[in-house]
Amino acid sequence: MERKNKNIILFPRVKERLVEEGMEALQAKRYDEALHFFHEAEQLGENSFHVALSIAVCHCELGDFLEAERRLRMLLQEHRDDIELLQMYVSILMQMQRYEQAEMVIRDALHRRHLSPSMREQLLRLLHFNQKMSKTALPLAEQDSIQQLFESDDITEHMKVIKQLENEDIAPVLSILKQYLMNESKNPITKTMILRLLTLKNVTDVVTIEKFGERMEAIPANLNEQAQTAFALHVLRQLENTLASENPSLYEVAVDIWLRYTYILYPFSPKPATCEDWIAALHFIACQFQGIPAALEKIARMYHVHAENMDFLCKKLYEVEKFSYF
């Protein structure tokens, strides 16, 4: 029996193409996609500093600070004189609120490196900032309790913690709140509450919010909730014109569904659809909730919209309804 050749023959420049695709995705801020390409290249033997650093950056942007810290630490062991790498590593440690470790790394660099005056000044400023943050940090036990709380699914408990943070300095837990916002598996209701908290606290950092497969970067201090919800308010006014007098109880149910949907969706806007499409979908689902017999096609004709569009929006509304009422 002829022995089969188990060697895998790769197409030319496979690694190079994977790295190119990874860099293109990274520059477009598609970090999950970039990470996939870089990992594929890594498995094929790509071990360049550039790719290793890019993988660490992807983990950092995705909120996986533990893996980012591990990879940056390994890179720093091989490239001890790379100041930019050192600064990135210290920044990650500070994001994780590991201030003592960050201080040790900075002091070690100041003692053993031949630094230019400007670089030494940068490190000293970073050391001063790290020491300042360390003084304002919450006790470790309190940080852990907030982290553990957000790992639960109890919205009521989430509300209590966020309400408590309204009267406290949130700087020590800002990195935890940022991680929550960008984690696709976390509850979108809590994300809305956190984002409103950051707006209230006038946070000027760029944060990444992920909800229902969509991702957005925003500066909380610059968010204008009234502008963000202008379309939602327009739908409410049209709902009142069409349903309030005809069937007040049905109108109240439709309003409740819509307010819940737009609250959970914030800061994203309801899309893609016209005002009439949404009103028709809300009318149909309100009927479903109240046990009123209703045909989707008939309601579509009432509002002069396509039934297919209505059905698509109904699915979006039902998707949100699986979350707890609040």
Side-chain angles (χ1 to χ4, degrees), residues 8 119 132 150 157 168 197 205 220 234 238 250 283-284:
I8 298 173
M119 197 60 68
K132 182 180 177 181
F150 283 152
E157 290 300 318
E168 296 180 10
L197 171 69
D205 293 12
H234 179 58
Q238 294 304 313
L250 195 66
H283 187 153
F284 178 74

Side-chain angles (χ1 to χ4, degrees), residues 5 34 55 70 79-80 111 175 193 200 204 234 296 304:
N5 186 357
I55 291 175
R70 185 185 73 82
H79 304 272
R80 293 165 63 87
H111 281 109
S175 64
M193 292 188 288
L200 176 69
T204 55
H234 179 58
L296 188 139
H304 308 289

Side-chain angles (χ1 to χ4, degrees), residues 258-274:
W258 183 241
L259 289 177
R260 185 161 54 251
Y261 178 75
T262 53
Y263 180 91
I264 294 174
L265 201 64
Y266 182 78
F268 298 92
S269 298
K271 62 180 183 181
T274 65

